[in-house]
């Protein structure tokens, strides 16, 4: 806590204790007691604790790579993430994309749905359940190509080093879920 913050804190403390008079030692004890409580608070915890167990923390988000060989259609993947208080991953930056690719390479063996879709079949790519058009993309060679005319969902393809490809939403891949963390952005 900065000196300014501490001053504000002490001022608010003096408001809290109202008319009761505390000597300096008692006041200090009280401050230490409350600081201890703050440290135990989630917002003051270390980066590893800002996401639930089993989730990875990266720049303000928590990510879940479901265990095992679970694969889903796009809709089922989104539903699975919703059941865990999250949504299919929205990739807003190159650094987030790089982080995800690294995690996928570590796991080696599958492709993954993202939350990117073309909901109105107009080749306008938006993040699912938002009006947000993708500002960053990492299409693989020849993508998006709407092969067979039914490719409205985007996955990160193992065969293309996890670059993005538009694909039929009924295909089954693994999922990556994302939700906000309580940690630093
Ligand atoms: Ca994101
Ligand atoms: Ca395609």
């Amino acid at each position: 806590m900065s000196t300014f913050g501490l001053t504000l804190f002490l001022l608010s403390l003096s408001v809290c204790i109202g008319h009761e008079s505390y000597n300096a030692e008692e006041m200090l004890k009280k401050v230490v007691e409350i600081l201890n409580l703050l440290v135990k608070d989630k917002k003051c915890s270390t980066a590893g604790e800002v996401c639930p167990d089993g989730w990875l923390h990266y720049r303000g988000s928590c990510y879940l790579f479901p265990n095992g060989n679970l694969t889903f259609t796009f809709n089922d993947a989104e539903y699975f993430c919703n059941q865990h208080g999250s949504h299919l991953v929205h990739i807003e930056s190159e650094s987030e994309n790089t982080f995800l690719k690294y995690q996928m390479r570590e796991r080696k063996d599958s492709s993954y749905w993202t939350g990117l879709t073309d909901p109105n079949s107009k080749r306008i790519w938006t993040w699912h359940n938002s009006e947000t058009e993708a500002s960053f993309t990492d299409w693989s060679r020849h993508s998006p190509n709407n092969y067979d005319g039914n490719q409205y969902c985007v996955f990160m393809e193992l065969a293309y080093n996890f670059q993005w490809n538009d694909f039929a939403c009924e295909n089954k891949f693994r999922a990556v879920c994302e939700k906000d963390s309580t940690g630093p952005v």
Side-chain angles (χ1 to χ4, degrees):
M1 189 180 287
S2 67
T3 311
F4 179 67
L6 189 60
T7 309
L8 275 182
F9 180 70
L10 287 171
L11 276 175
S12 63
L13 185 67
S14 66
V15 170
C16 290
I17 61 179
H19 64 275
E20 289 181 55
S21 60
Y22 281 68
N23 65 31
E25 196 183 346
E26 281 170 333
M27 174 73 94
L28 192 62
K29 267 189 196 165
K30 203 80 189 161
V31 169
V32 169
E33 200 178 294
I34 294 174
L35 282 177
N36 279 337
L37 281 176
L38 282 175
V39 169
K40 281 183 196 157
D41 186 87
K42 223 179 172 184
K43 285 177 183 157
C44 294
S45 64
T46 58
E49 294 165 358
V50 297
C51 294
D53 275 357
W55 294 65
L56 302 171
H57 179 237
Y58 182 74
R59 292 194 174 177
S61 284
C62 301
Y63 300 89
L64 178 67
F65 287 79
N67 283 333
N69 295 315
L70 288 175
T71 57
F72 312 86
T73 64
F74 177 89
N75 282 339
D76 287 349
E78 177 68 17
Y79 180 74
F80 175 90
C81 293
N82 291 169
Q83 295 295 98
H84 290 78
S86 59
H87 52 74
L88 273 173
V89 68
H90 295 186
I91 306 170
E92 287 102 352
S93 68
E94 184 165 5
S95 68
E96 185 177 21
N97 194 48
T98 302
F99 164 77
L100 291 166
K101 282 175 157 182
Y102 175 81
Q103 294 300 330
M104 290 169 188
R105 283 185 201 120
E106 290 282 291
R107 290 163 176 78
K108 291 177 186 153
D109 55 351
S110 184
S111 298
Y112 293 83
W113 283 122
T114 71
L116 193 59
T117 64
D118 171 16
N120 302 313
S121 313
K122 291 188 172 158
R123 316 318 284 163
I124 296 172
W125 298 98
T126 57
W127 296 108
H128 190 61
N129 275 345
S130 80
E131 303 292 312
T132 313
E133 243 181 272
S135 55
F136 168 85
T137 56
D138 185 23
W139 297 113
S140 59
R141 202 156 48 98
H142 308 309
S143 295
N145 60 0
N146 199 18
Y147 189 78
D148 279 345
N150 66 346
Q151 300 194 321
Y152 305 121
C153 294
V154 175
F155 76 113
M156 297 172 79
E157 187 169 12
L158 176 65
Y160 283 89
N161 210 6
F162 302 106
Q163 283 194 294
W164 306 4
N165 187 356
D166 55 337
F167 222 59
C169 307
E170 292 71 32
N171 282 281
K172 289 189 171 183
F173 299 117
R174 286 197 180 186
V176 190
C177 305
E178 179 183 8
K179 63 181 174 180
D180 290 344
S181 81
T182 55
V185 175

